[in-house]
Amino acid sequence: MVVAAVPHIPDTEADQQLVQRILWTATPLFVAQGYTGTTADEIAKACGISKKTLYKYFPTKEALLRYGIDVLFGMIKADNDQIIEQTDMPPRQRIAEIMERTTGVFGMVASPALISDIKRSAPAVWDYIMAWRTAHIERFMTLLDECLEHQELRDGLNMEDIRAVFQLTLLQATEFLVTGDTRVSSPDVYTGFLDVFFHGILVQPSNKVAP
């Protein structure tokens, strides 16, 4: 299945403002009512325009959804690029900062119900989201390599194993936070993940001899 193409938006200021209004009107409706539960009629009415005008910019509801996702991903990429370029910040800190900001942005617009709805009713868009997520996580892997470059590894471990565990855990944590019903905040999950990954969970046994 082919994802609906992102439409060409005219460059006039009036068009840009209207497109932005459509997007910011549709987003809370999608979040509150789901993708299938929100109709083009509702979006047009809430935006104060005709459905014909809505279709001028977005010929399908899926095209509007895809455009909104692209805007979201663009915001995340720009923010992450800025963090990655801060080479004076330790790699581990940059990883944590990117995780916290990314999940914060997703938390404003994503909900388990909406995600499940997209997976079921717009599978091509869901595939696009998953492909973006995989590419996004690869950026973390670059920072991980930088973080471990000058670190001594425990016996029996190698970089390939560490990268595989880090990537798989990050994928699963992301899936859980996006689709799971949890009261744990995204920053707490990722902070805990990084702490366990780099420091472990067991206290080193004491060398003291019992009396």
PDB file of all heavy atoms in Angstrom, residues 26-39:
ATOM      1  N   ALA A  26      -7.050  20.031  13.338  1.00  0.00           N
ATOM      2  CA  ALA A  26      -7.252  18.591  13.164  1.00  0.00           C
ATOM      3  C   ALA A  26      -6.533  17.775  14.239  1.00  0.00           C
ATOM      4  O   ALA A  26      -7.050  16.733  14.677  1.00  0.00           O
ATOM      5  CB  ALA A  26      -6.771  18.161  11.779  1.00  0.00           C
ATOM      6  N   THR A  27      -5.370  18.228  14.674  1.00  0.00           N
ATOM      7  CA  THR A  27      -4.562  17.434  15.609  1.00  0.00           C
ATOM      8  C   THR A  27      -5.301  17.090  16.891  1.00  0.00           C
ATOM      9  O   THR A  27      -5.367  15.902  17.261  1.00  0.00           O
ATOM     10  CB  THR A  27      -3.243  18.162  15.917  1.00  0.00           C
ATOM     11  OG1 THR A  27      -2.487  18.302  14.711  1.00  0.00           O
ATOM     12  CG2 THR A  27      -2.431  17.375  16.937  1.00  0.00           C
ATOM     13  N   PRO A  28      -5.868  18.054  17.626  1.00  0.00           N
ATOM     14  CA  PRO A  28      -6.574  17.664  18.855  1.00  0.00           C
ATOM     15  C   PRO A  28      -7.805  16.799  18.595  1.00  0.00           C
ATOM     16  O   PRO A  28      -8.191  15.993  19.450  1.00  0.00           O
ATOM     17  CB  PRO A  28      -6.965  19.014  19.485  1.00  0.00           C
ATOM     18  CG  PRO A  28      -6.904  20.008  18.375  1.00  0.00           C
ATOM     19  CD  PRO A  28      -5.847  19.519  17.453  1.00  0.00           C
ATOM     20  N   LEU A  29      -8.421  16.952  17.423  1.00  0.00           N
ATOM     21  CA  LEU A  29      -9.550  16.087  17.087  1.00  0.00           C
ATOM     22  C   LEU A  29      -9.082  14.648  16.901  1.00  0.00           C
ATOM     23  O   LEU A  29      -9.727  13.703  17.391  1.00  0.00           O
ATOM     24  CB  LEU A  29     -10.244  16.589  15.812  1.00  0.00           C
ATOM     25  CG  LEU A  29     -11.000  17.911  15.929  1.00  0.00           C
ATOM     26  CD1 LEU A  29     -11.527  18.345  14.558  1.00  0.00           C
ATOM     27  CD2 LEU A  29     -12.147  17.796  16.921  1.00  0.00           C
ATOM     28  N   PHE A  30      -7.973  14.461  16.186  1.00  0.00           N
ATOM     29  CA  PHE A  30      -7.415  13.116  16.021  1.00  0.00           C
ATOM     30  C   PHE A  30      -7.051  12.507  17.373  1.00  0.00           C
ATOM     31  O   PHE A  30      -7.308  11.325  17.629  1.00  0.00           O
ATOM     32  CB  PHE A  30      -6.172  13.160  15.132  1.00  0.00           C
ATOM     33  CG  PHE A  30      -6.451  13.319  13.661  1.00  0.00           C
ATOM     34  CD1 PHE A  30      -5.598  14.064  12.856  1.00  0.00           C
ATOM     35  CD2 PHE A  30      -7.548  12.715  13.075  1.00  0.00           C
ATOM     36  CE1 PHE A  30      -5.832  14.201  11.495  1.00  0.00           C
ATOM     37  CE2 PHE A  30      -7.804  12.845  11.711  1.00  0.00           C
ATOM     38  CZ  PHE A  30      -6.941  13.598  10.924  1.00  0.00           C
ATOM     39  N   VAL A  31      -6.432  13.302  18.236  1.00  0.00           N
ATOM     40  CA  VAL A  31      -6.002  12.798  19.545  1.00  0.00           C
ATOM     41  C   VAL A  31      -7.207  12.414  20.394  1.00  0.00           C
ATOM     42  O   VAL A  31      -7.212  11.367  21.057  1.00  0.00           O
ATOM     43  CB  VAL A  31      -5.139  13.848  20.277  1.00  0.00           C
ATOM     44  CG1 VAL A  31      -4.839  13.397  21.711  1.00  0.00           C
ATOM     45  CG2 VAL A  31      -3.835  14.092  19.522  1.00  0.00           C
ATOM     46  N   ALA A  32      -8.247  13.257  20.385  1.00  0.00           N
ATOM     47  CA  ALA A  32      -9.405  13.024  21.244  1.00  0.00           C
ATOM     48  C   ALA A  32     -10.352  11.955  20.698  1.00  0.00           C
ATOM     49  O   ALA A  32     -10.913  11.160  21.463  1.00  0.00           O
ATOM     50  CB  ALA A  32     -10.173  14.336  21.446  1.00  0.00           C
ATOM     51  N   GLN A  33     -10.522  11.916  19.372  1.00  0.00           N
ATOM     52  CA  GLN A  33     -11.540  11.053  18.768  1.00  0.00           C
ATOM     53  C   GLN A  33     -10.975   9.898  17.952  1.00  0.00           C
ATOM     54  O   GLN A  33     -11.726   9.019  17.527  1.00  0.00           O
ATOM     55  CB  GLN A  33     -12.459  11.894  17.859  1.00  0.00           C
ATOM     56  CG  GLN A  33     -13.149  13.033  18.589  1.00  0.00           C
ATOM     57  CD  GLN A  33     -13.967  13.922  17.667  1.00  0.00           C
ATOM     58  OE1 GLN A  33     -14.583  14.880  18.104  1.00  0.00           O
ATOM     59  NE2 GLN A  33     -13.990  13.610  16.377  1.00  0.00           N
ATOM     60  N   GLY A  34      -9.659   9.912  17.738  1.00  0.00           N
ATOM     61  CA  GLY A  34      -9.062   8.885  16.898  1.00  0.00           C
ATOM     62  C   GLY A  34      -9.066   9.284  15.436  1.00  0.00           C
ATOM     63  O   GLY A  34      -9.727  10.263  15.047  1.00  0.00           O
ATOM     64  N   TYR A  35      -8.347   8.518  14.634  1.00  0.00           N
ATOM     65  CA  TYR A  35      -8.260   8.811  13.205  1.00  0.00           C
ATOM     66  C   TYR A  35      -9.585   8.515  12.503  1.00  0.00           C
ATOM     67  O   TYR A  35     -10.126   9.360  11.784  1.00  0.00           O
ATOM     68  CB  TYR A  35      -7.124   7.994  12.594  1.00  0.00           C
ATOM     69  CG  TYR A  35      -7.037   8.083  11.096  1.00  0.00           C
ATOM     70  CD1 TYR A  35      -6.691   9.275  10.473  1.00  0.00           C
ATOM     71  CD2 TYR A  35      -7.297   6.972  10.291  1.00  0.00           C
ATOM     72  CE1 TYR A  35      -6.612   9.368   9.085  1.00  0.00           C
ATOM     73  CE2 TYR A  35      -7.214   7.044   8.919  1.00  0.00           C
ATOM     74  CZ  TYR A  35      -6.870   8.237   8.310  1.00  0.00           C
ATOM     75  OH  TYR A  35      -6.796   8.317   6.946  1.00  0.00           O
ATOM     76  N   THR A  36     -10.141   7.331  12.727  1.00  0.00           N
ATOM     77  CA  THR A  36     -11.394   6.969  12.053  1.00  0.00           C
ATOM     78  C   THR A  36     -12.583   7.725  12.649  1.00  0.00           C
ATOM     79  O   THR A  36     -13.589   7.941  11.970  1.00  0.00           O
ATOM     80  CB  THR A  36     -11.652   5.457  12.148  1.00  0.00           C
ATOM     81  OG1 THR A  36     -11.627   5.059  13.526  1.00  0.00           O
ATOM     82  CG2 THR A  36     -10.597   4.686  11.382  1.00  0.00           C
ATOM     83  N   GLY A  37     -12.482   8.128  13.912  1.00  0.00           N
ATOM     84  CA  GLY A  37     -13.587   8.818  14.564  1.00  0.00           C
ATOM     85  C   GLY A  37     -13.696  10.284  14.192  1.00  0.00           C
ATOM     86  O   GLY A  37     -14.673  10.947  14.561  1.00  0.00           O
ATOM     87  N   THR A  38     -12.713  10.802  13.493  1.00  0.00           N
ATOM     88  CA  THR A  38     -12.716  12.199  13.072  1.00  0.00           C
ATOM     89  C   THR A  38     -13.000  12.274  11.583  1.00  0.00           C
ATOM     90  O   THR A  38     -12.334  11.618  10.783  1.00  0.00           O
ATOM     91  CB  THR A  38     -11.356  12.860  13.373  1.00  0.00           C
ATOM     92  OG1 THR A  38     -11.082  12.761  14.771  1.00  0.00           O
ATOM     93  CG2 THR A  38     -11.372  14.325  12.962  1.00  0.00           C
ATOM     94  N   THR A  39     -13.984  13.051  11.194  1.00  0.00           N
ATOM     95  CA  THR A  39     -14.361  13.162   9.787  1.00  0.00           C
ATOM     96  C   THR A  39     -13.848  14.464   9.182  1.00  0.00           C
ATOM     97  O   THR A  39     -13.547  15.435   9.901  1.00  0.00           O
ATOM     98  CB  THR A  39     -15.888  13.112   9.625  1.00  0.00           C
ATOM     99  OG1 THR A  39     -16.461  14.291  10.218  1.00  0.00           O
ATOM    100  CG2 THR A  39     -16.462  11.869  10.290  1.00  0.00           C
TER     101      THR A  39
END
